[in-house]
């Protein structure tokens, strides 16, 4: 059975981890990567800091079962994005 | 840092378009659960092992998950009871199904396996995306051999 997505790039529909140059890391289903940044659907955001898990600890947990969404649709600005990885390719 | 984007309301797909995706599972004997009552009856069944598939339209993942389930269920060891709900179509049934494993973030497609009333295995959407059906089926067969033998 075919897909029902528009041609929005190879990551469209794929659950990704978007790491930033700040304390935040995002996990969500990639809608599109544009000149503005990465648009994620059903996304969660984690902010590392005192008393919270590190980014890698959070990503490892997310890789096991996924995330509970905090945002239906968000834009992570391009200027802050340092990497985009497929969550399914991260060992849990 | 983050800007909320406007969302387009989710409109259910045409049922006639979705029907073949339902039949891909029901044609091999997977029990379709279309109402919360169907889900409750499925969960109340005292089968030693049961598997629930959250089906969906998405071709990125469900397009691999359905054939994977078909392949895996040819295995000698398999869950005693297999059911499915269709996310985005049978909305109330899907919500009821997800309430049975509420500790796991909702995603579709996804697959849950219970053994003795406890979740023994959960395959979320992100672990289906981009994989070939044969690869997913091999993982499911391993799970069946571990939990559904005898």
């Amino acid at each position: 059975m075919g897909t029902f997505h528009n041609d929005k790039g190879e990551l469209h529909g794929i659950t990704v981890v978007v790491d930033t140059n700040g304390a935040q890391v995002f996990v969500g289903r990639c809608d599109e990567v544009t000149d503005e940044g990465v648009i994620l659907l059903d996304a969660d955001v984690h902010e590392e800091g005192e008393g919270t898990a590190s980014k890698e600890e959070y990503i490892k947990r997310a890789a096991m079962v996924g995330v509970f969404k905090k945002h239906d649709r968000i834009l992570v600005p391009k200027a802050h994005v340092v990497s985009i990885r497929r969550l399914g390719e991260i060992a849990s | 840092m983050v800007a909320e984007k406007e969302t387009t309301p989710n409109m259910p797909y045409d049922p006639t378009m979705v029907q073949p995706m339902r039949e891909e599972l029901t044609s091999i004997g997977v029990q379709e659960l279309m109402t919360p009552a169907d889900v409750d009856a499925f969960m109340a069944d005292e089968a030693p092992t049961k598997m629930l598939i959250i089906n969906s339209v998405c071709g990125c993942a469900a397009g691999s998950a359905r054939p994977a389930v078909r392949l895996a269920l040819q295995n000698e060891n398999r869950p005693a009871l297999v059911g499915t709900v269709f996310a985005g179509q049978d909305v109330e049934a899907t919500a009821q199904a997800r309430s049975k494993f509420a500790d796991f973030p909702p995603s579709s497609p996804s697959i849950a396996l219970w053994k003795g009333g406890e979740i023994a295995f959960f395959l979320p959407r992100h672990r289906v995306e981009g994989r070939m059906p044969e690869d997913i089926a091999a993982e499911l067969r391993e799970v069946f051999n571990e939990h559904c033998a005898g």
Side-chain angles (χ1 to χ4, degrees), chain A residues 13 15 26 63 71 73 75 77, chain B residues 1 3-4 6 125-126 129:
Chain A
T15 308
F26 299 83
H71 303 273
R73 184 179 176 91
L75 168 70
Chain B
M1 168 184 293
E4 291 276 354
E6 276 188 23
R125 173 196 167 97
H126 70 268
E129 294 165 347

Side-chain angles (χ1 to χ4, degrees), chain A residues 1-5 12-15 20 24 26 29 62-68 71-75 77 80 87-88, chain B residues 1-7 13 17 20-21 57-60 63 66 102-106 122 124-127 129:
Chain A
M1 189 57 61
T3 63
F4 294 86
H5 300 290
H12 176 71
I14 302 296
T15 308
T20 71
Q24 292 180 316
F26 299 83
R29 204 167 68 253
M64 290 173 67
V65 293
V67 296
F68 288 96
H71 303 273
D72 289 334
R73 184 179 176 91
I74 58 172
L75 168 70
H80 298 294
L87 183 61
Chain B
M1 168 184 293
V2 178
E4 291 276 354
K5 304 283 283 186
E6 276 188 23
T7 55
Y13 287 95
M17 189 191 77
M21 302 175 203
V57 166
C58 173
C60 304
R66 287 188 297 268
D103 290 343
F104 293 84
F122 182 70
R125 173 196 167 97
H126 70 268
R127 284 173 44 203
E129 294 165 347

Side-chain angles (χ1 to χ4, degrees), chain A residues 24-61:
Chain A
Q24 292 180 316
V25 60
F26 299 83
V27 173
R29 204 167 68 253
C30 184
D31 184 45
E32 195 170 11
V33 180
T34 71
D35 289 342
E36 285 184 90
V38 184
I39 299 169
L40 297 176
L41 307 179
D42 298 335
D44 186 32
V45 55
H46 173 75
E47 187 156 347
E48 72 176 355
E50 257 186 63
T52 66
S54 69
K55 286 182 179 180
E56 284 310 312
E57 288 168 339
Y58 164 78
I59 293 167
K60 193 172 178 180
R61 274 206 308 272

Side-chain angles (χ1 to χ4, degrees), chain B residues 27-50:
Chain B
S27 64
I28 55 167
V30 176
Q31 184 182 341
E32 190 160 41
L33 313 173
M34 300 184 77
T35 67
D38 290 345
V39 173
D40 286 343
F42 177 84
M43 294 307 299
D45 192 296
E46 293 183 350
T49 53
K50 63 183 82 169

Side-chain angles (χ1 to χ4, degrees), chain A residues 5 10-17 27-30 41 85-89, chain B residues 58-65 107-110 123-133 135-136:
Chain A
H5 300 290
E10 64 177 282
L11 289 178
H12 176 71
I14 302 296
T15 308
V16 296
V17 180
V27 173
R29 204 167 68 253
C30 184
L41 307 179
R85 290 182 282 170
R86 290 174 182 244
L87 183 61
E89 293 179 354
Chain B
C58 173
C60 304
S64 291
S107 65
S108 57
S110 58
L123 186 70
R125 173 196 167 97
H126 70 268
R127 284 173 44 203
V128 172
E129 294 165 347
R131 294 174 70 188
M132 297 301 290
D135 182 34
I136 302 164

